[in-house]
Amino acid sequence: MASVSEHILDELTWRGLIAQSTDLDALRRDLDAGPLTLYAGFDPTAPSLHAGNLVPLLMLTRFQRAGHRPIVLAGGATGMVGDPRDQGERTLNSLDVVAEWAARIRGQLERFVEFDGSPTGAVVVNNLDWTGGMSVLEYLRDVGKHFSINVMLARETVKRRLEGDGMSYTEFSYLLLQSHDYLQLHRKYDCALQVGGSDQWGNIVGGVELVRRIDGDAVHALTAPLVTDAEGRKFGKSTGGGNIWLDPALTSPYAWYQYFVNVGDADVVRYLRLFTFLPREEIDALAEQTAERPHLRAAQRRLAEEFTRLVHGEHETRQVIAASQALFGRGELRDLDEPTLTAAMAEAPTGSVRLADAPTIVDLLVSSGLTPSRGAARRAVNEGGAYVNNVKIGDEDWRPATGDLLHGRWLVLRRGKRSTAGVEVAP
RNA sequence: GGCGGGUUGCCCGAGCGGUCAAAGGGAGCAGACUGUAAAUCUGUCGCGAAAGCUACGAAGGUUCGAACCCUUCACCCGCCA
């Protein structure tokens, strides 16, 4: 729906989504000439996409809404090789694992674009389809011949790796595979634009040059900035250190929502521009609210809501908002009616214990998953960071009584200020 | 194929026969202050109530005692062929 008459490139610009590009004026002309086909690739380096992957993925969505045709590419082939990164050589995953991850990721990718069979209907591909059958000689003669080692050695990542622990020929070749993808998509689908994160710039322009050298066509490249927080840390790492994943089995919708509610003031407006489709006026209004009444966290709530809806859907979003309000609300937990509390418990992490076992606060914390070990649980209690039903518990030997149970079966645990969980208590 | 260097906790990194569950830094967690923010300060940071157990690439060995010494294996890096 191109309800906004603003040009897609102008929109991407004010959202802060353009880091590097080939000739923008030429791209604009091609975009204006009619539906343009573009692609972004995602390698299966994990069983799920994570929050950071959404910047280029949503870029495809934005282009589709502006009347262009997106191709989402699952890197079944490139995922078997591994893109060189600064941290050193990757460990190869088995073919089975890569194939399974590629299938999962493909399923996630499909949710962000529309497949309607129209000229702007999305296409999903897997680069294994054309790379898997390529012979070594084809690779060396038809692809490799067009690449200069001198240029490849000059790439930042390669330079850093050569100064460090070195790099395998396999990873060094990654550029050729991704470049070849662009060529294939250009031929099959007339694809003329590749988008990705700015770390992909070298790989993308590699494809642009390959297409120019072999087919003589000028195609485009556009990258989005790598998203970092105000501290410069890579975006999408949960407070626990790991990635936040799209797969609800890996990161629950509740945890997803909570992560974005907790985004800092310095980042929230930028994230609204990058990760939502909210119009400029609305984002500006939220920015103003953050500046004037930061404690309301209006922008954070809106970001979390929009982003959860985008990834997990309307129904889940309503559930997790209700759960968050119940658990973080000012109100007395005892005043919550049973359906509300039960629904909230269904969203938050929960554990279960039996009253007959006479569990202590330490047992409860471990059971709920709020602490990883009993030692950590005891520490939390001694630090004054353990709560049951919003009442601080300072004694490691504290045990719940029947009267503590909410609606006869729930205890709401909290560790610190932000982590809550439920425990279902059986007689 | 030869020679040399390396593999330490979530990450980086010190340790080089007992006093090492292992310095230091980062990350994480908690407390204070706040707004489910940031910054700052403080505490904490393998498992266990404890005894103790498990850990310093893997497996053996020497020793009263090993992350530290020896042997073999695996992997990584560099130089030479």
Side-chain angles (χ1 to χ4, degrees), chain A residues 4 6 10-17 58 62 265-293 297-304 306-307:
Chain A
V4 195
E6 186 176 34
D10 295 328
E11 183 187 347
L12 295 179
T13 301
W14 74 255
R15 283 187 185 276
L17 276 164
L58 291 176
R62 296 182 202 280
D265 295 355
D267 297 315
V268 67
V269 174
R270 197 159 43 89
Y271 288 177
L272 280 167
R273 290 197 302 254
L274 295 174
F275 293 110
T276 72
F277 292 93
L278 295 180
R280 193 172 196 162
E281 309 78 61
E282 194 165 348
I283 293 176
D284 288 347
L286 286 165
E288 201 173 308
Q289 282 204 51
T290 297
E292 288 170 7
R293 291 180 295 283
R297 310 182 65 75
Q300 279 90 340
R301 287 177 208 284
R302 194 61 206 271
L303 171 69
E306 286 297 318
F307 210 7

Side-chain angles (χ1 to χ4, degrees), chain A residues 90-119:
Chain A
R90 293 171 189 266
T91 308
L92 287 179
N93 292 308
S94 76
L95 301 188
D96 288 351
V97 166
V98 176
E100 198 208 314
W101 288 355
R104 284 166 174 262
I105 282 173
R106 181 178 175 139
Q108 293 179 335
L109 293 170
E110 288 173 346
R111 298 209 308 268
F112 292 86
V113 284
E114 295 290 329
F115 297 87
D116 54 13
S118 76

Side-chain angles (χ1 to χ4, degrees), chain A residues 22-352:
Chain A
T22 46
D23 189 341
L24 272 182
D25 294 331
L27 175 59
R28 187 180 292 258
R29 280 195 297 277
D30 285 352
L31 285 166
D32 292 342
L36 179 134
T37 300
L38 72 155
Y39 100 94
F42 301 87
D43 277 1
T45 52
S48 169
L49 295 175
H50 55 80
N53 292 132
L54 287 173
V55 173
L57 186 49
L58 291 176
M59 185 99 92
L60 292 181
T61 312
R62 296 182 202 280
F63 270 103
Q64 185 172 37
R65 291 185 181 188
H68 303 283
R69 176 170 69 153
I71 300 176
V72 288
L73 178 147
T78 35
M80 289 189 189
V81 167
D83 192 12
R85 49 178 182 177
D86 289 341
Q87 301 94 306
E89 191 78 12
R90 293 171 189 266
T91 308
L92 287 179
N93 292 308
S94 76
L95 301 188
D96 288 351
V97 166
V98 176
E100 198 208 314
W101 288 355
R104 284 166 174 262
I105 282 173
R106 181 178 175 139
Q108 293 179 335
L109 293 170
E110 288 173 346
R111 298 209 308 268
F112 292 86
V113 284
E114 295 290 329
F115 297 87
D116 54 13
S118 76
T120 64
V123 177
V124 189
V125 297
N126 184 336
N127 57 14
L128 188 62
D129 292 345
W130 55 82
T131 311
M134 199 194 316
S135 75
V136 189
L137 291 178
E138 250 180 288
Y139 166 76
L140 291 175
R141 290 182 64 98
D142 297 345
V143 185
K145 195 67 174 171
H146 299 283
F147 286 82
S148 154
I149 291 281
N150 312 34
V151 173
M152 291 172 74
L153 288 174
R155 301 178 68 206
E156 277 309 312
T157 304
V158 176
K159 274 198 285 189
R160 278 195 291 268
R161 285 282 293 277
L162 290 180
E163 284 161 13
D165 286 350
M167 136 161 35
S168 69
Y169 177 73
T170 302
E171 289 195 0
F172 188 59
S173 314
Y174 185 93
L175 170 67
L176 276 67
L177 294 186
Q178 183 166 333
S179 300
H180 182 243
D181 288 343
Y182 201 169
L183 178 68
Q184 288 295 320
L185 293 175
H186 176 62
R187 289 180 174 173
K188 283 186 199 191
Y189 300 101
D190 199 23
C191 179
L193 169 65
Q194 181 179 173
V195 300
S198 61
D199 57 329
Q200 291 297 308
W201 176 248
N203 292 330
I204 297 176
V205 294
V208 169
E209 288 190 21
L210 189 66
V211 170
R212 180 172 52 75
R213 287 184 185 181
I214 296 185
D215 288 356
D217 293 331
V219 292
H220 309 280
L222 193 62
T223 63
L226 281 193
V227 187
T228 56
D229 67 15
E231 311 289 296
R233 289 182 297 240
K234 205 166 173 183
F235 166 82
K237 299 288 185 186
S238 75
T239 51
N243 273 315
I244 42 174
W245 305 103
L246 265 66
D247 186 339
L250 298 175
T251 298
S252 72
Y254 174 79
W256 177 276
Y257 178 85
Q258 281 295 321
Y259 179 85
F260 291 103
V261 166
N262 279 305
V263 162
D265 295 355
D267 297 315
V268 67
V269 174
R270 197 159 43 89
Y271 288 177
L272 280 167
R273 290 197 302 254
L274 295 174
F275 293 110
T276 72
F277 292 93
L278 295 180
R280 193 172 196 162
E281 309 78 61
E282 194 165 348
I283 293 176
D284 288 347
L286 286 165
E288 201 173 308
Q289 282 204 51
T290 297
E292 288 170 7
R293 291 180 295 283
H295 55 282
L296 295 180
R297 310 182 65 75
Q300 279 90 340
R301 287 177 208 284
R302 194 61 206 271
L303 171 69
E305 178 186 344
E306 286 297 318
F307 210 7
T308 306
R309 181 177 290 130
L310 196 61
V311 172
H312 295 295
E314 181 63 37
H315 178 72
E316 272 296 345
T317 303
R318 275 204 291 261
Q319 302 285 318
V320 299
I321 290 176
S324 297
Q325 282 172 347
L327 295 176
F328 286 96
R330 290 271 183 277
E332 171 65 35
L333 282 167
R334 286 179 187 281
D335 295 340
L336 289 177
D337 60 42
E338 181 164 12
T340 303
L341 182 64
T342 303
M345 292 291 96
E347 297 299 330
T350 50
S352 60

Side-chain angles (χ1 to χ4, degrees), chain A residues 387-417:
Chain A
Y387 299 79
V388 173
N389 299 340
N390 282 340
V391 178
K392 183 184 287 190
I393 304 295
D395 177 8
E396 298 174 18
D397 294 323
W398 182 89
R399 290 182 167 81
T402 313
D404 294 316
L405 304 185
L406 305 174
H407 296 289
R409 62 190 182 110
W410 290 110
L411 290 172
V412 174
L413 270 69
R414 197 168 95 229
R415 180 190 185 190
K417 288 170 186 169

